[in-house]
Each structure stands twice: as structure tokens, then as C-alpha cells.
């Protein structure tokens, strides 16, 4: 099949690891020809260009900055995306016949591209990774009475209408979409979770103690690691509250690695308080980051408690792959905590409940053998549910 994949993810090489590149490689492994369209945001100073690698063709389209920028440019850039993508596809792949269009949210503004290609008999599948504009309402970015909400909500409804099938990250996501979009047929909505290609553990760049010493991380404490975006969706205020509470302990250390719009807020807290039980790393080379995660003991997930939509962060996969139990502080609507608890690989509390969260830290520090068992439970669940082979089969059963 000729497959067109539309995304906001930065993809230059499909050999890089990630939920989209891993899935793309799985499609290629099955003999499909992948046409991938990605943004070349203006901050990277690149023009629109096509990289033709035979079975994998990557079309990089010049766009305004869409990520890590101010709301005005992000909004304008998001609205222009469908025109820019459509123009580039028409220029470079005018005569291509696409059998299947895969696309992910964010954004919700690929409607014109999808509608045009559907007229040429392409099948469509939405990978729903983000429920917008409700998530922006939850975080107070605009209200349901605003023009922005009404405009984006219409685009969201149109996107669901154009999608032959909608793959959601979890059962709670399926329920949410069907409850708030009564016109969507239940047979078109299913769980197609975030997934990765399992690979052998790479050789460590450094022995454990050498790596921890290099990063000024103690070797005699249980290491809790958070890796990923540090933005408004993560509820950074509660993360800071957890770090402050952990300063009263002597057996646990928190490693925070990431970047995002709230990074300076958390950095200011570190600069002001100079904690002895936590460190903040803005960025690491990928191999060094992977090595660091492998020598930590417990993974962390934080989400803002105001969310009414059931987010399911993909960083869970990295923790499970490294056989780590997971502590979660999220809103009440996501089912990530219940899935972790039911399957024996994690603990959950609502974000803001500092007493329960620190009890969960107690639970982890009390028994190293328990950590090992929970980590193995998580890896087994990952193998059974969150591999790209699993996601590929879910998608392709509709089109073969």
C-alpha cells in the first residue's frame, strides 16, 4: 500500500526511536511505501524539501513555529498547516495514489488535506493523541464561550467525520470521544495505544556509578526519574511540592530531565532552594539519557489535575521498557493510573494530594524486591499491549 502519514513530529530518520518512527518502520517491514509529511518550523531555518529514500519518503514543509513558541504564532501556524501541507503534497506528489492516510493529533487542522485525498478513494485512520480544544479549556487558555473554542471545536468535529476509524490511546479515551461526539459511530472508534518497537538493551555508555557521579546524583538512594516535557499540562506546581516534601527524607532522590514552557519556573525553584534530594537536567544526549533512565529505579508521571480529558502520556512506555514501576499523580479522568494499579506495575493518586504521594514514595523505598517484581509486571504488560506489532495489526485489520 501507498501510505501517507501526516504529523507534527520532527522526523528526519525513521531509525530514530519514537512512537511514530517505530510504527512507520513496522509498516515498512510489512512492505508498505511510506510518504511522511512533517513540519520544518521556521526556527530551524530550513526550506520545504523532499527526502526520497525509496520505500520511505519524507516531505519537510516550511511552517511557522508551532511548538515551543508564543500562543499567537502557534495559533496562526496551526491554522495555516493544512494549506501548507496540501500545497506541498500537490507539488511533490501530485500523481501519487494513496491507499491509506494516517494522521495524528495534534493538530486538528488537517481537514482540507484529508478531504481532498478521500475524494481519490484513500482510506483514513486517525491516531488520536490529543483531544483539542477541550484540553486548552481545561488549562484555562480560553473558555467554551470564546470564538477560538467554537472554531476549533468545529474543526475537531469535522476531523472525526472525515476519519474512517479513530484509534484512541486507552478505553477512557474511547468513552470520552463517544460521550462527547454522539454523531460518531461506535464501530469506528477503538483502542490503538501508544506503542514502541522493543529492542535489545544497548551497552551502557558508562558504568552506573560513573554515570551518576558524572551527573552529581547519589549512588546510595532510591532514584525516581521524570523525563519529558515540563509544560502546563504536567502540573509543575505539584511536582515542585513533591520535590520540597522529599527534602525531609534521606533515602530517595528525584531526577528531573526535560524542557518546556515551565522549565524556568522549576529552575527558579532549584536555584532558590538548592535541594539536596533532587537535580534538574535541561537536556542530555539521547544515549546518555537512555543510560540514565536504565540506572534509575522508579518512573514518574505528572498531569495537571484540572484535565477533564483522559490523557495517556507516552513516556510510560520508556519506564515499562526499562522494567521500572511507575508513580503517577494525575487528574481523575485518565485511566492510566487504574491500568497501572490493576496490572501491578504502578501506583496512582490525584495530583495535589501530597500526603498520598509521599506514602507512595514510602511504599517504593521500603522494599527493593517489590520494585523488581512491579518492574517485571510492567514489562510483561508492555509486551502484551504496547508494541508496534500490536498497533499495526489493529490498524490494518480494517484495510486488508
Amino acid at each position: 500500500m501507498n501510505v501517507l502519514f501526516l504529523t507534527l513530529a520532527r522526523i528526519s530518520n525513521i531509525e530514530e526511536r519514537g512512537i511514530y518512527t517505530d510504527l512507520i518502520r513496522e509498516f515498512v517491514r510489512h512492505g508498505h511505501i511510506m510518504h511522511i509529511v512533517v513540519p520544518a518550523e521556521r526556527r530551524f531555518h530550513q526550506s520545504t524539501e523532499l527526502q526520497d529514500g525509496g520505500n520511505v519518503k519524507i516531505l519537510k514543509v516550511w511552517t511557522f513555529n508551532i511548538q515551543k513558541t508564543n500562543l499567537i504564532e502557534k495559533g496562526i501556524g496551526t491554522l495555516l498547516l493544512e494549506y501548507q501541507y496540501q500545497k506541498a503534497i500537490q507539488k511533490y506528489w501530485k500523481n501519487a495514489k494513496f491507499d491509506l492516510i494516517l494522521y495524528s493529533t495534534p493538530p486538528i487542522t488537517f481537514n482540507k488535506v484529508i478531504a481532498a485525498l478521500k475524494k481519490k478513494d484513500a482510506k483514513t485512520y486517525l491516531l488520536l493523541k490529543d483531544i483539542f480544544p477541550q484540553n486548552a479549556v481545561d488549562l484555562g487558555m480560553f473558555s467554551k464561550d470564546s470564538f477560538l473554542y467554537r472554531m476549533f471545536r468545529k474543526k475537531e468535529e469535522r476531523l472525526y467525520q472525515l476519519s474512517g476509524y479513530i484509534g484512541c490511546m486507552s478505553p477512557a479515551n474511547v468513552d470520552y470521544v463517544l460521550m462527547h461526539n454522539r454523531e460518531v459511530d461506535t464501530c469506528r472508534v477503538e483502542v490503538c495505544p501508544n506503542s514502541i518497537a522493543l529492542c535489545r538493551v544497548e551497552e551502557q555508555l558508562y558504568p552506573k556509578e560513573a554515570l551518576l557521579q558524572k551527573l552529581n546524583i547519589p549512588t546510595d538512594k532510591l532514584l525516581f526519574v521524570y523525563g519529558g516535557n515540563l509544560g502546563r499540562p504536567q502540573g509543575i506546581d505539584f511536582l515542585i511540592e513533591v520535590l520540597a516534601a522529599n527534602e525531609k527524607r534521606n533515602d530517595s532522590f528525584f531526577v528531573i530531565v526535560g524542557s518546556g514552557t515551565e522549565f524556568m519556573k522549576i529552575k527558579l525553584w532549584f536555584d532558590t532552594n538548592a535541594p539536596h534530594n533532587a537535580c534538574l537536567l535541561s537536556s542530555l544526549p539521547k544515549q546518555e539519557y537512555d543510560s540514565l533512565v536504565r540506572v534509575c529505579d522508579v518512573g514518574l508521571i505528572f498531569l495537571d489535575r484540572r484535565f477533564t480529558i483522559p490523557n495517556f502520556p507516552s513516556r510510560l512506555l520508556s519506564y515499562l521498557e526499562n522494567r521500572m514501576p511507575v508513580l503517577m499523580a494525575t487528574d481523575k479522568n485518565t485511566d492510566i493510573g487504574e491500568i497501572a494499579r490493576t496490572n501491578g506495575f504502578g501506583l496512582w493518586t490525584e495530583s495535589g494530594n501530597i500526603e498520598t504521594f509521599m506514602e507512595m514514595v514510602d511504599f517504593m523505598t521500603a522494599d527493593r524486591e517489590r520494585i523488581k517484581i512491579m518492574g517485571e509486571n510492567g514489562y510483561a504488560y508492555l509486551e502484551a499491549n504496547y508494541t508496534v506489532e500490536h498497533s499495526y495489526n489493529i490498524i490494518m485489520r480494517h484495510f486488508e
Side-chain angles (χ1 to χ4, degrees):
M1 291 174 63
N2 268 346
V3 181
L4 178 66
F5 181 51
L6 310 174
T7 182
L8 281 188
R10 290 189 65 211
I11 298 175
S12 297
N13 179 358
I14 68 162
E15 297 306 317
E16 297 169 353
R17 298 202 68 200
I19 60 173
Y20 298 131
T21 48
D22 286 9
L23 183 60
I24 289 167
R25 289 198 307 275
E26 185 67 12
F27 270 85
V28 173
R29 189 173 74 84
H30 284 270
H32 303 289
I33 299 174
M34 299 299 297
H35 300 71
I36 306 158
V37 188
V38 301
E41 296 177 67
R42 70 178 181 88
R43 70 176 183 271
F44 299 114
H45 307 291
Q46 297 175 332
S47 301
T48 297
E49 64 172 1
L50 174 63
Q51 297 176 355
D52 193 334
N55 285 349
V56 178
K57 308 171 194 299
I58 302 176
L59 179 54
K60 297 182 176 181
V61 181
W62 186 94
T63 68
F64 288 100
N65 292 328
I66 301 163
Q67 302 172 68
K68 299 180 181 179
T69 187
N70 62 76
L71 288 177
I72 295 175
E73 183 173 12
K74 181 174 184 175
I76 294 172
T78 299
L79 289 173
L80 289 176
L81 266 180
E82 58 188 346
Y83 300 99
Q84 293 167 323
Y85 273 33
Q86 189 171 27
K87 182 179 178 181
I89 291 169
Q90 181 68 13
K91 177 180 178 180
Y92 289 91
W93 293 326
K94 181 177 182 179
N95 298 318
K97 170 70 168 63
F98 297 113
D99 304 294
L100 172 64
I101 316 170
L102 285 175
Y103 41 98
S104 59
T105 58
I108 57 169
T109 52
F110 288 148
N111 292 345
K112 291 186 182 299
V113 183
I114 298 164
L117 293 173
K118 277 194 76 171
K119 291 179 181 178
K120 300 179 180 180
D121 298 323
K123 306 299 183 184
T124 55
Y125 195 103
L126 167 61
L127 298 166
L128 189 67
K129 308 298 185 187
D130 181 61
I131 298 176
F132 182 85
Q134 184 57 47
N135 59 354
V137 172
D138 290 344
L139 294 178
M141 297 171 71
F142 48 75
S143 75
K144 278 195 170 183
D145 297 325
S146 67
F147 167 76
L148 284 175
Y149 175 82
R150 292 192 298 271
M151 176 184 66
F152 283 121
R153 177 60 175 147
K154 286 182 180 179
K155 289 182 178 292
E156 180 192 19
E157 291 171 341
R158 176 60 173 156
L159 183 68
Y160 295 161
Q161 181 186 20
L162 287 168
S163 301
Y165 296 92
I166 301 172
C168 299
M169 295 182 291
S170 72
N173 275 254
V174 171
D175 293 342
Y176 184 94
V177 169
L178 293 175
M179 181 182 300
H180 292 86
N181 300 275
R182 299 291 186 182
E183 71 284 357
V184 175
D185 194 328
T186 57
C187 70
R188 295 197 294 118
V189 187
E190 63 189 358
V191 175
C192 185
N194 294 329
S195 57
I196 56 173
L198 298 178
C199 66
R200 63 179 178 82
V201 175
E202 298 176 4
E203 184 178 346
Q204 288 284 77
L205 284 178
Y206 307 91
K208 176 179 178 178
E209 290 200 2
L211 176 60
L212 296 182
Q213 288 173 3
K214 178 177 184 287
L215 298 173
N216 295 315
I217 297 171
T219 59
D220 59 345
K221 296 181 181 182
L222 197 73
L223 300 181
F224 296 76
V225 62
Y226 175 89
N229 187 46
L230 294 168
R232 293 176 70 177
Q234 283 66 50
I236 297 302
D237 287 343
F238 184 65
L239 169 56
I240 291 173
E241 189 177 351
V242 167
L243 297 177
N246 194 58
E247 286 300 287
K248 302 171 185 176
R249 305 178 61 90
N250 57 18
D251 56 358
S252 53
F253 189 92
F254 281 65
V255 181
I256 312 299
V257 189
S259 61
T261 57
E262 299 294 286
F263 177 82
M264 292 310 298
K265 182 175 189 176
I266 192 169
K267 184 178 185 300
L268 178 61
W269 183 86
F270 270 85
D271 292 344
T272 303
N273 294 277
H276 65 277
N277 272 343
C279 70
L280 175 64
L281 304 170
S282 61
S283 63
L284 290 173
K286 187 177 187 313
Q287 280 188 306
E288 192 168 309
Y289 171 75
D290 291 342
S291 294
L292 174 61
V293 172
R294 283 196 286 272
V295 301
C296 290
D297 302 293
V298 180
L300 299 169
I301 288 176
F302 292 92
L303 287 173
D304 194 294
R305 68 184 300 178
R306 293 174 291 174
F307 277 123
T308 62
I309 59 169
N311 290 295
F312 209 95
S314 61
R315 69 181 57 86
L316 171 69
L317 305 178
S318 174
Y319 300 151
L320 299 186
E321 187 178 28
N322 286 285
R323 293 176 163 84
M324 303 166 68
V326 188
L327 295 191
M328 309 177 189
T330 75
D331 58 273
K332 294 187 292 187
N333 296 290
T334 180
D335 51 352
I336 192 171
E338 180 60 24
I339 290 172
R341 186 192 63 80
T342 301
N343 293 282
F345 63 82
L347 301 174
W348 173 88
T349 187
E350 185 178 4
S351 180
N353 190 335
I354 189 65
E355 182 178 347
T356 301
F357 191 93
M358 297 315 295
E359 288 173 357
M360 295 184 339
V361 173
D362 281 335
F363 183 85
M364 289 298 177
T365 57
D367 189 345
R368 292 259 180 175
E369 185 61 27
R370 177 190 291 149
I371 289 175
K372 183 177 179 181
I373 292 170
M374 293 178 71
E376 292 297 333
N377 290 343
Y379 188 81
Y381 193 80
L382 172 70
E383 279 189 307
N385 298 277
Y386 297 151
T387 65
V388 287
E389 293 91 342
H390 185 63
S391 295
Y392 173 84
N393 289 332
I394 289 172
I395 295 168
M396 290 305 299
R397 67 187 177 186
H398 302 296
F399 308 113
E400 292 181 329

